[in-house]
Amino acid sequence: MNQQKASSRIFFMAAILILSVSGILLFVLPEHSYSENENRYLTTFKQPSVSAFLDTSMQKNITDGANDQFAGRDLWMKFACSMQHAAGFQDIGGVYLGRNGYYFERILDSDLSEKHYTDNLNYLNQAAARYQTVKTCFLPVPSKGEILKNELPANAVLYDSDRLYAQAQKKLANVSLADIRKELTAKSKDLQLYFKTDHHWTMDAAYTAYQFWCGMHKYEPGPLKQFKPECVSDSFYGTLYSKTPEFHTQPDKLLVPSALPKADITINGKEADSIYDRSKLNTKDKYGVYFGGNFGRIDIKRKPDSQKKQPAPKTLLVVKDSFANSFVPYLMEHYSQITMLDFRYYNKPFSKLMQEIQPDELLIFYEMSNFAQDADFFKILK
């Protein structure tokens, strides 16, 4: 009994000591303004004031700042997540811990806006009717959990993607719906189609979508080896790992197609040397190697190449999210010009852009749950 009391006292004193030292370090160690692991800005302590105290913003700043500036925060997060996983928790911080090291974002029906999704389908219908001479296609990328169901933890619940696809099939007029779920599911038995630690898909998945696209358009897809896949990083930890880090998690490999047609690249009007920004490989956001990340407008104009068959002088306009960044490089084989728009960062009139580039085809390319939540898609009617 005495030994048990002594152990309790030791544990209590150790906890008090750790919290006391950590509290002191909050004000001794320099503050960090950005967390590369979490890819977000951290709360820093503000100068106290009477007005901030009265409106309670000072109390909130102290609480948030203490959480973000806690000494050894990343280490403590790993420890806490590892302990919860060991205790049997499969859902930590909105992330499912699946089989074979897979992380899944927990997206439920309640997280999606029925109004946003219906509105976005209507906006797409109106745009297709407005630009009738342009072939319009909607390619919704299935979420990771839709394709890798066998890797989900037991009893995991995700949004009803079948319902969203059925709605798109029913509501869209004069728009081709590219449903690639069957092809991805078949390939998932032999290939890793999604990163284990990130929500994005891999080079193999993007290539599978490219093959599907070629089948729709009667193009001859080049074999994957023609694109010379290159492993540009073997230490990629994605956004889902950042939310739920664990000690034993293994990083992903990041492969990109390296043999691509020569092209002039402009990003928001500024010239770029390549579609790849290899400086991103030295940061946490390694997926940003594609184009350096997401921008309002990216233009790809293919250069004449005597060694390669030249595509027909066709222009493709892609309205997209980040999933398209790893897909578009394959399309450079088939189009003389590709323009990519991200409505999160593009605010100029869409109608003027249509007049400027006069595209032959319009591709709407989003991960399905992103499209269902997108509050910027109305810009397609500006």
Side-chain angles (χ1 to χ4, degrees):
M1 188 70 175
N2 290 336
Q3 185 177 1
Q4 185 177 3
K5 286 184 178 180
S7 298
S8 299
R9 288 172 183 167
I10 293 172
F11 177 81
F12 177 76
M13 294 301 294
I16 294 295
L17 179 63
I18 291 173
L19 291 173
S20 299
V21 171
S22 298
I24 294 171
L25 290 177
L26 276 176
F27 302 97
V28 174
L29 295 177
E31 291 184 296
H32 298 282
S33 60
Y34 185 78
S35 170
E36 187 176 12
N37 181 56
E38 298 174 75
N39 193 28
R40 72 176 181 88
Y41 289 96
L42 301 175
T43 301
T44 55
F45 294 112
K46 297 178 180 178
Q47 289 291 332
S49 66
V50 174
S51 60
F53 177 79
L54 292 176
D55 66 12
T56 71
S57 62
M58 187 176 78
Q59 293 91 315
K60 186 177 187 306
N61 175 253
I62 291 174
T63 301
D64 294 344
N67 288 333
D68 281 359
Q69 301 298 330
F70 197 84
R73 185 171 183 274
D74 290 346
L75 186 64
W76 282 108
M77 284 182 65
K78 284 185 179 181
F79 178 76
C81 291
S82 297
M83 289 295 291
Q84 289 180 74
H85 195 184
F89 288 87
Q90 300 295 331
D91 175 6
I92 302 174
V95 175
Y96 287 130
L97 302 178
R99 301 179 176 90
N100 299 311
Y102 276 98
Y103 287 63
F104 295 88
E105 188 174 10
R106 187 194 64 192
I107 306 174
L108 308 178
D109 283 322
S110 58
D111 297 319
L112 306 182
S113 168
E114 182 69 27
K115 184 178 186 304
H116 270 324
Y117 185 58
T118 301
D119 285 348
N120 289 344
L121 291 177
N122 289 333
Y123 297 147
L124 180 51
N125 270 333
Q126 293 176 56
R130 179 178 295 180
Y131 307 108
Q132 294 182 15
T133 61
V134 180
K135 295 180 180 178
T136 303
C137 178
F138 176 39
L139 197 161
V141 177
S143 299
K144 186 176 179 179
E146 168 74 9
I147 302 301
L148 304 182
K149 294 177 181 177
N150 292 334
E151 303 293 350
L152 284 166
N155 303 316
V157 178
L158 295 173
Y159 73 94
D160 186 357
S161 62
D162 288 338
R163 179 177 60 85
L164 299 187
Y165 276 91
Q167 280 183 263
Q169 186 70 57
K170 181 179 179 180
K171 290 180 176 293
L172 292 178
N174 302 315
V175 177
S176 299
L177 177 63
D179 186 348
I180 60 174
R181 291 178 294 172
K182 183 178 178 181
E183 286 70 20
L184 288 176
T185 301
K187 290 287 185 71
S188 67
K189 299 173 183 177
D190 303 310
L191 299 172
Q192 182 182 337
L193 298 184
Y194 291 81
F195 295 110
K196 292 188 175 184
T197 64
D198 196 67
H199 62 289
H200 285 109
W201 60 1
T202 64
M203 181 194 70
D204 285 314
Y207 177 76
T208 300
Y210 161 69
Q211 289 178 302
F212 185 94
W213 176 265
C214 287
M216 287 183 64
H217 292 76
K218 308 300 188 227
Y219 298 149
E220 183 65 32
L224 183 57
K225 64 180 180 181
Q226 170 188 311
F227 296 95
K228 296 183 180 179
E230 175 189 357
C231 180
V232 294
S233 176
D234 58 3
S235 57
F236 174 40
Y237 287 98
T239 56
L240 299 181
Y241 168 82
S242 299
K243 293 179 180 179
T244 313
E246 291 192 272
F247 287 108
H248 66 273
T249 302
Q250 297 299 310
D252 282 297
K253 289 184 178 180
L254 177 59
L255 286 83
V256 303
S258 65
L260 299 171
K262 296 179 181 179
D264 291 318
I265 314 295
T266 56
I267 299 176
N268 286 344
K270 296 181 179 179
E271 293 184 5
D273 296 331
S274 166
I275 71 164
Y276 296 125
D277 181 353
R278 292 179 181 266
S279 68
K280 288 289 186 177
L281 299 174
N282 299 319
T283 69
K284 176 68 171 58
D285 182 23
K286 290 178 170 52
Y287 187 79
V289 69
Y290 291 103
F291 302 99
N294 297 301
F295 298 91
R297 176 175 175 177
I298 299 175
D299 292 285
I300 306 169
K301 295 183 179 180
R302 182 167 168 176
K303 295 179 179 179
D305 189 342
S306 60
Q307 303 299 316
K308 289 192 174 185
K309 180 182 178 181
Q310 298 303 303
K314 296 178 67 175
T315 298
L316 173 67
L317 175 58
V318 184
V319 177
K320 58 86 181 181
D321 65 7
S322 56
F323 275 76
N325 294 358
S326 54
F327 169 76
V328 165
Y330 296 110
L331 300 186
M332 293 169 64
E333 289 286 325
H334 307 284
Y335 295 89
S336 57
Q337 178 178 342
I338 301 172
T339 296
M340 302 163 62
L341 293 187
D342 191 323
F343 280 154
R344 291 172 294 181
Y345 314 106
Y346 188 82
N347 295 304
K348 296 180 180 180
F350 184 79
S351 57
K352 288 187 177 180
L353 177 70
M354 291 291 286
Q355 292 176 0
E356 174 194 336
I357 66 174
Q358 297 185 2
D360 300 284
E361 299 173 21
L362 172 62
L363 171 61
I364 311 303
F365 197 105
Y366 284 75
E367 190 273 333
M368 178 58 98
S369 67
N370 287 344
F371 183 78
Q373 300 175 83
D374 188 7
D376 294 306
F377 195 69
F378 70 93
K379 295 177 184 178
I380 200 169
L381 297 179
K382 286 179 65 177

